[in-house]
Amino acid sequence: MSLKRSSFSFFFLLFSFFSLSSHVSSQACQKTCGQIPIKYPLGTGAGCGDPRFTRYITCDPDQQTLTLTTHTGCYPITSVDYAKQEIYVTDPSMSTCACTRPSHGFGLDWDAPFSFHDDTVFTLLDCSVDESPVFTPLSNGSGRVSLCDRQSSSICTFLYSNCRAISLINLQVSTCCVYVPLDLGPSFEMDLKKLQCSSYSGFYNLGPGQESHPENWNYGIALKYKFNVFDEYPGVCGGCERSNGACGFNTQTSSFVCNCPGGINTTSDCFFLYNSASILVPWLSREWVVYPLSWIVVWMVMSLR
C-alpha cells in the first residue's frame, strides 16, 4: 500500500510539473513595456514590481504604453532612468512651443512614492492679474505684487519672445509665474482653476546653450523615486534580476517573490531553472514552490515507511 501511495504521489508531481506552463503563463511579468525596459520597482501588472508603485504605474497590454495615473489624470511615461531613479512623463494638455492648450493642471497623490525632480520647472500661463492668488494685493492697496520666481523671469521672456505658439496669446510677462515644486505645498497640487490660470508648461534639462531656445527644451515632468524609507535597493531583488527574473510580490501578503520565465514564482531567484536537480510542486497556499529534487526523494522514501 505504501508503494502504491508513493507511486501515485510521484506521478501526481510529474503531472503537476508538466501542466504548470499552461497554469502560470498568463502570470509572467514583462521585461519591457513598448520600448521602455521594466525593472524594479516598476512592474507591468498585479504582483510585478513594488506594490507601492503598482496602483500608479501600469502597462497597457494592447498598446504597450507605460502610464502614470494620479488624481488629476493619466500621463504617458516617455522614459525611465533607473540609475538616477528618475521617471519622465508628458501631459497631453501641457502647452509647448508647438501648441498652447487649456489645462486643468497636474498633481501627485499625497501618498504616491514619487516627488518632483529639482530640475522640473513649471510656468503658469494666462493668469488673471485681478483674481489669481499668484498676485497678492499690497497692504496699502496701491496694487498687486507677483509671487513669480524672479530669479527665473528670463524663462518667461524666452517663452514669450521666442515661442510663437505662446506669443500668439498676447500675454504680459508679468502674468507668467515660474516656481519650483516645493511652492506647490505638501499636496503637490497645481489646480489651474483655483489659480485662475488657463494653461501651464513644464520642462526639465534645458541643455547647455539652449536657455534662449525654448523650441529645444525638454517639455514634460521629471519625477524621482526612492526604493524605501532608507532608499536601499533590496539585495534579494538584485539576485532575482541577475537570474533573469523579475522582482514582484505576493498579491495577498505583499511579501517578495521572484517571477521567473514562464510565470513561475519563487522566494529567491531563478537559478533553479538551470539546475536539473530541482522540481516544482504545488503548496497549500495555491502557489507553486520550487524544491530541490533531493527533498522530493527523501519525502517519497519517508512515505514508504
Side-chain angles (χ1 to χ4, degrees):
M1 292 297 293
S2 298
L3 181 59
K4 290 182 178 180
R5 183 171 63 252
S6 177
S7 299
F8 173 79
S9 300
F10 176 75
F11 284 113
F12 172 75
L13 289 173
L14 288 179
F15 173 78
S16 300
F17 179 76
F18 287 114
S19 64
L20 175 66
S21 58
S22 61
H23 177 77
V24 298
S25 59
S26 62
Q27 301 175 11
C29 299
Q30 300 179 40
K31 298 295 183 64
T32 61
C33 183
Q35 300 297 318
I36 301 179
I38 302 299
K39 300 180 181 179
Y40 184 87
L42 307 189
T44 56
C48 303
D50 187 313
R52 298 179 305 140
F53 290 73
T54 303
R55 58 177 292 196
Y56 297 105
I57 294 182
T58 56
C59 178
D60 187 306
D62 298 322
Q63 302 296 325
Q64 284 295 294
T65 54
L66 200 62
T67 303
L68 169 70
T69 301
T70 75
H71 66 282
T72 57
C74 300
Y75 309 93
I77 296 177
T78 56
S79 63
V80 181
D81 190 327
Y82 292 98
K84 296 181 179 179
Q85 299 173 221
E86 297 173 2
I87 299 174
Y88 302 93
V89 304
T90 59
D91 180 359
S93 70
M94 179 188 295
S95 293
T96 66
C97 263
C99 183
T100 57
R101 305 176 179 90
S103 175
H104 297 292
F106 179 89
L108 293 175
D109 294 8
W110 69 270
D111 58 347
F114 316 102
S115 60
F116 291 102
H117 194 283
D118 294 338
D119 290 342
T120 300
V121 178
F122 292 110
T123 62
L124 300 180
L125 303 174
D126 196 19
C127 303
S128 172
V129 178
D130 297 325
E131 300 179 6
S132 174
V134 300
F135 301 98
T136 57
L138 296 173
S139 57
N140 57 12
S142 60
R144 299 171 68 88
V145 61
S146 171
L147 298 180
C148 298
D149 182 357
R150 299 182 183 278
Q151 294 181 352
S152 299
S153 59
S154 58
I155 291 180
C156 298
T157 303
F158 292 139
L159 281 174
Y160 294 140
S161 59
N162 300 347
C163 222
R164 183 175 183 274
I166 293 179
S167 65
L168 290 177
I169 56 180
N170 296 321
L171 301 179
Q172 298 177 2
V173 174
S174 61
T175 64
C176 173
C177 179
V178 181
Y179 55 94
V180 295
L182 185 62
D183 294 335
L184 288 173
S187 62
F188 300 109
E189 187 71 35
M190 179 169 52
D191 188 339
L192 293 187
K193 183 177 181 181
K194 181 179 180 180
L195 293 172
Q196 292 292 308
C197 303
S198 67
S199 185
Y200 83 102
S201 183
F203 34 86
Y204 56 89
N205 188 20
L206 303 184
Q210 298 298 319
E211 290 82 0
S212 59
H213 300 281
E215 69 278 4
N216 297 330
W217 294 351
N218 291 315
Y219 289 90
I221 302 167
L223 304 174
K224 54 185 178 181
Y225 64 85
K226 291 185 176 181
F227 295 118
N228 44 51
V229 175
F230 302 102
D231 198 20
E232 297 176 346
Y233 184 83
V236 65
C237 184
C240 173
E241 292 186 339
R242 285 192 297 272
S243 64
N244 197 31
C247 301
F249 60 95
N250 183 307
T251 55
Q252 296 180 346
T253 64
S254 293
S255 57
F256 171 83
V257 296
C258 181
N259 186 265
C260 302
I264 304 170
N265 286 344
T266 77
T267 57
S268 55
D269 52 52
C270 304
F271 287 118
F272 75 92
L273 290 175
Y274 317 109
N275 179 6
S276 59
S278 299
I279 193 169
L280 196 70
V281 299
W283 190 240
L284 298 177
S285 63
R286 296 183 181 180
E287 294 189 352
W288 294 84
V289 182
V290 176
Y291 291 103
L293 186 56
S294 58
W295 291 16
I296 305 300
V297 173
V298 171
W299 174 77
M300 293 179 65
V301 171
M302 294 296 294
S303 66
L304 291 174
R305 298 180 177 181

